[in-house]
Amino acid sequence: MQGRGFGRELMRFVEEEVGRRGFHEVRLTTAVVIRRNIDLYQRLGYAITGREPTATVDRVWITKRVNAASET
């Protein structure tokens, strides 16, 4: 199913829902080795805000500011 826009559409929904609920940012984490996800998030305007090595996998934290519903 890759390459059909489902990930992009899902992230659009997440951002709208986060804003609708009055929050100001989306934060997520993924494994550093899943480069395809990181590349997608960055293309969508997300920024890497941290890294966390764990016993099983190195993680990267990614964040994007969104407008809360009351601000639109």
Side-chain angles (χ1 to χ4, degrees), residues 20-35:
R20 186 184 72 76
R21 292 178 182 228
F23 296 102
H24 296 280
E25 71 181 11
V26 176
R27 293 183 209 168
L28 54 94
T29 184
T30 190
V32 171
V33 297
I34 308 176
R35 190 70 225 177

Side-chain angles (χ1 to χ4, degrees), residues 7 11 28-30 34-47 60 62 64:
M11 294 311 297
L28 54 94
T29 184
T30 190
I34 308 176
R35 190 70 225 177
R36 186 177 210 135
N37 286 0
I38 296 168
D39 291 344
L40 171 64
Y41 298 139
Q42 289 181 315
R43 281 193 309 273
L44 296 177
Y46 287 76
V60 61
I62 302 172
K64 181 178 181 180

Side-chain angles (χ1 to χ4, degrees), residues 15-16 18-20 23-24 65-72:
E15 292 168 18
E16 287 178 2
V18 165
R20 186 184 72 76
F23 296 102
H24 296 280
R65 298 279 301 165
V66 297
N67 291 327
S70 62
E71 297 176 11
T72 57

